[in-house]
């Protein structure tokens, strides 16, 4: 197979030494920009007795202070901006679940970089000129919608800006408009698959060929399930608003790790507890530095996402390093009776058991001071109409599978298909009813 590369893909193949040279030059510039224009960053460098001139090699980045989500909240709304408002052409914000949201800003040059990395992302996933792209990411303050929109339009594909929600209309458009590529959260696409079946539409018979899924962690088992049910290739895309939005990295057709657009985003993996930089191959927290962002440079931003950089070059020939796909975030971690539990582990266990659907919810309660975890799992129509004995057997099987992965026995409740509330964006996996202690 001769892979057809998008004409914009040239930077993906630049020799490593040139990539590193470029990174160092850009790092110096961005640190100088933040030092000159962002008081919080300047005071932190001053405390350490550092100036931008102290960056001699890329490894010197480890001497710089981290930036956290808390810093964005504390300086709400515009405290970390490095460009005057008249140069800022776009603002986005996160939906703050508690208190203030975080606000991010873009100059025209930042929007152009964002578009270019999204063009490259979609190209890596095999989307091309002539594709009809259904963009079911939410439009608005959330970066997903406009990020995918500009990327798809920038590569000359046809964009359908349908946004999230109204699933019946999504299915109708997918079918009637001959959609060939879709962008959404993986859980919302699963919901579309379900709904399509109810509407007697078989997605496998449609021209839909590729899905670019992101904005929430999802597992390899979930990918297999999506690919089997829909007959498409499902790619994992990664990004976050604090850095740029979607387009920080994406899988290539080898689907082993996500290539990071390292000419714009410098990745490090650190020990989440000590903050020490870890060597390639070791698992830890992803820390990203924006190398070209003007309006809001992020220096050593703690993403809370747990992953590792893959040391080996990719068989696709791209020189951009890869990171393992993100299965969990350090702030997703639940502590149940002293044991660390991640929702992604629950997902993996459930998807291995026949007769279950990938729709589940974790419910936490506290009884007599002891944490209780219940996993509600939807089972297939067939299974549910089976004899009681069969359900009990399945219940035990799931409890065993969960115990095997989590190391603790948790309560399992099987529920009918379509009982668990569907999300049109990021799935809500955990309901915590424990009273604050
Ligand atoms: Zn590759």
């Amino acid at each position: 197979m001769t892979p057809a590369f998008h004409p914009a893909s040239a930077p993906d193949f630049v020799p490593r030494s040139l990539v590193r040279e470029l990174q160092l030059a850009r790092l110096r510039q961005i640190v100088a920009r933040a030092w000159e224009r962002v008081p919080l960053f300047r005071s932190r460098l001053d405390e350490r007795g550092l100036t931008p001139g102290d960056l001699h090699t890329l490894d010197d980045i480890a001497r710089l202070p981290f930036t956290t989500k808390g810093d964005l909240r504390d300086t709400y709304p515009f405290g970390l901006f490095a460009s005057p408002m008249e140069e800022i052409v776009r603002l986005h914000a996160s939906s703050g679940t508690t208190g203030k949201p975080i606000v991010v800003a873009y100059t025209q040059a930042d929007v152009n970089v964002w578009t270019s990395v999204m063009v490259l992302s979609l190209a890596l996933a095999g989307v091309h000129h002539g594709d009809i792209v259904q963009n079911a990411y939410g439009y608005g303050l959330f970066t997903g919608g406009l990020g995918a929109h500009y990327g798809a339009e920038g590569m000359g594909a046809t964009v359908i800006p349908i946004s999230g929600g109204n699933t019946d209309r999504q299915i109708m458009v997918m079918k009637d408009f001959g959609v060939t590529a879709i962008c959404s959260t993986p859980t919302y696409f699963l919901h579309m698959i379900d709904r399509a079946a109810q509407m007697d539409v078989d997605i496998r018979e449609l021209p839909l060929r590729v899905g670019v899924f992101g904005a929430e962690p999802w597992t390899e088992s979930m990918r297999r399930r999506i690919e089997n049910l829909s007959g498409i290739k499902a790619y994992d895309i990664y990004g976050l608003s604090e850095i740029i939005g979607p387009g920080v990295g994406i899988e290539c057709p080898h689907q082993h790790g996500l290539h990071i657009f390292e000419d714009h985003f410098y990745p490090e993996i650190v020990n989440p507890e000590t903050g020490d930089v870890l060597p390639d191959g070791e698992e830890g927290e992803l820390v990203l530095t924006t190398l070209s962002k003007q309006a809001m440079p992020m220096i050593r931003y703690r993403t809370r996402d747990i992953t590792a950089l893959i040391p080996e070059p990719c068989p696709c020939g791209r020189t951009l390093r890869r990171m393992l796909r993100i299965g969990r975030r350090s702030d997703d971690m639940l502590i149940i009776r002293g044991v660390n539990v991640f929702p992604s582990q629950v997902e993996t266990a459930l998807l291995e058991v026949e007769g279950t659907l990938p729709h589940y919810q974790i419910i936490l309660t506290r009884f007599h001071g002891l944490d209780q975890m219940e996993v509600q799992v939807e089972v297939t129509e067939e299974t549910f109409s089976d004899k009681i004995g069969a359900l009990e057997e399945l219940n035990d099987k799931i409890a065993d599978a969960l115990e095997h992965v989590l190391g603790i026995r948790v309560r399992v409740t099987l529920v009918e298909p379509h009982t668990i509330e569907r999300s049109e964006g990021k799935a809500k996996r955990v309901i915590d009813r424990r009273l604050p202690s």
Side-chain angles (χ1 to χ4, degrees):
M1 183 184 93
T2 322
F5 294 116
H6 190 276
S9 304
D12 298 359
F13 296 88
V14 165
R16 284 302 306 167
S17 58
L18 286 182
V19 173
R20 291 181 66 83
E21 229 171 83
L22 177 73
Q23 285 176 323
L24 180 59
R26 286 190 172 167
L27 178 67
R28 284 177 169 153
Q29 275 171 12
I30 205 75
V31 167
R33 183 180 181 88
W35 185 73
E36 281 157 20
R37 298 173 180 228
V38 183
L40 177 75
F41 184 68
R42 187 179 191 128
S43 67
R44 284 183 179 168
L45 281 205
D46 288 348
E47 278 166 25
R48 287 168 171 74
L50 290 172
T51 68
D54 291 319
L55 290 168
H56 303 294
T57 70
L58 277 175
D59 292 338
D60 288 332
I61 196 172
R63 302 172 65 191
L64 300 176
F66 291 119
T67 307
T68 65
K69 195 167 215 162
D71 295 331
L72 279 102
R73 290 211 184 93
D74 295 345
T75 55
Y76 172 88
F78 304 151
L80 296 182
F81 288 11
S83 296
M85 196 50 91
E86 59 266 27
E87 285 173 20
I88 288 172
V89 300
R90 181 96 65 80
L91 296 174
H92 279 281
S94 73
S95 52
T97 39
T98 50
K100 301 272 205 247
I102 56 158
V103 180
V104 294
Y106 304 77
T107 62
Q108 186 57 54
D110 295 335
V111 170
N112 295 348
V113 166
W114 190 14
T115 301
S116 75
V117 291
M118 278 307 296
V119 167
L120 290 174
S121 297
L122 294 169
L124 252 83
V127 178
H128 48 69
H129 184 240
D131 265 319
I132 299 177
V133 181
Q134 181 165 351
N135 186 13
Y137 280 122
Y139 281 67
L141 286 178
F142 170 58
T143 47
L146 285 177
H149 183 106
Y150 274 59
E153 213 171 74
M155 76 178 342
T158 308
V159 187
I160 306 169
I162 192 165
S163 195
N166 199 339
T167 312
D168 287 10
R169 191 179 59 178
Q170 301 267 2
I171 310 290
M172 184 190 77
V173 163
M174 191 186 292
K175 184 165 160 262
D176 295 350
F177 293 11
V179 167
T180 53
I182 188 158
C183 303
S184 74
T185 59
T187 42
Y188 189 47
F189 185 66
L190 265 177
H191 176 48
M192 284 189 216
I193 297 175
D194 277 5
R195 186 63 198 142
Q198 288 172 333
M199 293 164 70
D200 278 325
V201 174
D202 186 351
I203 292 185
R204 277 170 296 204
E205 315 249 288
L206 303 182
L208 188 67
R209 189 184 82 243
V210 42
V212 175
F213 303 121
E216 62 185 9
W218 52 304
T219 59
E220 202 54 40
S221 326
M222 180 76 102
R223 187 214 310 274
R224 282 200 298 275
R225 190 68 72 106
I226 287 176
E227 291 189 339
N228 290 339
L229 290 172
S230 66
I232 69 168
K233 267 273 225 187
Y235 290 93
D236 188 11
I237 186 168
Y238 176 76
L240 60 170
S241 302
E242 298 91 314
I243 297 302
I244 200 149
V248 172
I250 190 166
E251 291 174 324
C252 69
H254 292 274
Q255 291 187 327
H256 179 62
L258 290 85
H259 289 283
I260 300 170
F261 296 106
E262 286 184 275
D263 41 347
H264 296 291
F265 316 110
Y266 186 81
E268 298 169 89
I269 301 294
V270 305
N271 177 321
E273 263 111 60
T274 64
D276 292 339
V277 178
L278 299 172
D280 284 6
E282 270 185 48
E283 191 186 76
E285 181 182 340
L286 176 67
V287 170
L288 289 168
T289 296
T290 59
L291 293 175
S292 55
K293 198 119 182 280
Q294 294 182 338
M296 203 167 155
M298 280 287 121
I299 314 286
R300 304 196 84 205
Y301 184 72
R302 303 279 303 246
T303 66
R304 300 280 162 202
D305 290 318
I306 304 294
T307 182
L309 291 169
I310 301 173
E312 300 81 30
C314 185
C316 78
R318 286 181 178 79
T319 50
L320 301 171
R321 278 186 299 172
R322 290 167 298 161
M323 63 174 185
L324 292 176
R325 57 195 310 217
I326 292 172
R328 57 199 176 93
R329 297 173 48 84
S330 61
D331 48 7
D332 270 352
M333 190 174 80
L334 309 166
I335 303 178
I336 312 294
R337 286 173 249 151
V339 177
N340 299 346
V341 171
F342 289 93
S344 60
Q345 295 175 297
V346 172
E347 182 173 304
T348 305
L350 293 178
L351 285 165
E352 301 303 325
V353 181
E354 199 75 36
T356 62
L357 292 168
H359 299 292
Y360 65 93
Q361 210 152 41
I362 298 167
I363 296 164
L364 303 175
T365 49
R366 189 168 284 153
F367 186 67
H368 289 315
L370 207 60
D371 292 333
Q372 311 287 331
M373 176 169 152
E374 178 191 348
V375 181
Q376 294 188 345
V377 191
E378 284 186 13
V379 295
T380 58
E381 208 82 57
E382 293 163 328
T383 320
F384 207 81
S385 47
D386 259 351
K387 289 186 286 296
I388 298 286
L391 281 179
E392 276 171 9
E393 204 175 296
L394 181 62
N395 198 313
D396 287 346
K397 224 191 234 177
I398 295 173
D400 289 346
L402 286 169
E403 187 174 357
H404 181 72
V405 172
L406 306 178
I408 50 168
R409 193 82 182 171
V410 299
R411 200 165 119 209
V412 174
T413 309
L414 303 181
V415 296
E416 280 182 73
H418 310 290
T419 327
I420 293 171
E421 201 191 330
R422 296 294 189 265
S423 161
E424 289 157 1
K426 305 179 191 205
K428 185 159 175 52
R429 295 298 190 201
V430 181
I431 297 180
D432 197 341
R433 299 204 182 113
R434 294 176 295 185
L435 294 169
S437 46

